[in-house]
Amino acid sequence: MTAAKLLIRKRMLQTQGKVRPICFVQAVVDPTVQAALEVHFATETLFRRAAYSQNWPEGTIKIPAPLAPSLAAFLKNDACPEITVKTLLAGQSYQAANAWEMMSFELIAKVAFDNLLELTRTVGQLDRDIYYVGSASGADLSAFEADAAAEAPVAQSSDAAA
């Protein structure tokens, strides 16, 4: 299986007598995974403007300081596109009003791609049994069991004294 990648093309485009920045993004994934995504998950939203317009969730790409004001305005603007599995796999372009808006679109495309990667992990687990053993690591569990074993005689002796 080949590693998924996000193709990003930024160009200047002559349109309606003006030169405007344009950004094109397209996810390139393994053909088998792409087929499963297109058949079963094409309409899944990878980036929804409303989910990010009030705050930037912990763990997403860090917003560069110079881009923050433009990104905040872009996310509140109705022109901010939603990105779905279908549009990211097929390729999605955005004609921006300025370079900052183009960079904002690029950043949200990267967030959408990270969300696509999470979705592809789930697709890779289809038709398989998965055993979840909890979120504690083996070292944490061993330390807990050792503490519990050490405290057991102390608890028993205090119960006997009472």
Side-chain angles (χ1 to χ4, degrees):
M1 181 160 23
T2 59
K5 297 176 241 178
L6 181 64
L7 169 66
I8 302 169
R9 286 189 186 124
K10 294 185 265 187
R11 305 284 192 269
M12 296 303 289
L13 178 71
Q14 176 84 23
T15 178
Q16 299 176 347
K18 294 183 179 180
V19 177
R20 296 193 177 202
I22 188 166
C23 185
F24 173 83
V25 294
Q26 183 175 18
V28 180
V29 299
D30 186 84
T32 307
V33 173
Q34 182 165 347
L37 288 169
E38 288 173 342
V39 169
H40 302 293
F41 303 99
T43 60
E44 292 291 328
T45 303
L46 298 172
F47 183 88
R48 181 173 284 125
R49 175 176 63 99
Y52 294 87
S53 62
Q54 297 302 316
N55 62 18
W56 200 248
E58 187 81 27
T60 53
I61 295 171
K62 187 175 185 230
I63 302 170
L67 185 59
S70 298
L71 182 62
F74 186 63
L75 290 172
K76 290 177 181 157
N77 187 333
D78 289 339
C80 178
E82 291 194 347
I83 301 174
T84 65
V85 169
K86 181 179 180 179
T87 60
L88 196 57
L89 290 175
Q92 187 166 351
S93 61
Y94 180 78
Q95 183 178 329
N98 54 51
W100 292 105
E101 200 171 274
M102 178 179 63
M103 293 183 327
S104 295
F105 175 72
E106 179 183 356
L107 188 69
I108 67 166
K110 289 176 182 177
V111 171
F113 181 71
D114 286 347
N115 293 338
L116 178 71
L117 292 178
E118 286 298 320
L119 186 59
T120 59
R121 286 186 190 100
T122 296
V123 169
Q125 296 169 346
L126 292 174
D127 298 324
R128 295 185 181 147
D129 292 340
I130 299 165
Y131 295 96
Y132 179 72
V133 294
S135 59
S137 69
D140 291 342
L141 189 56
S142 298
F144 174 77
E145 289 172 347
D147 287 346
E151 291 173 359
V154 173
Q156 289 173 353
S157 65
S158 64
D159 288 343

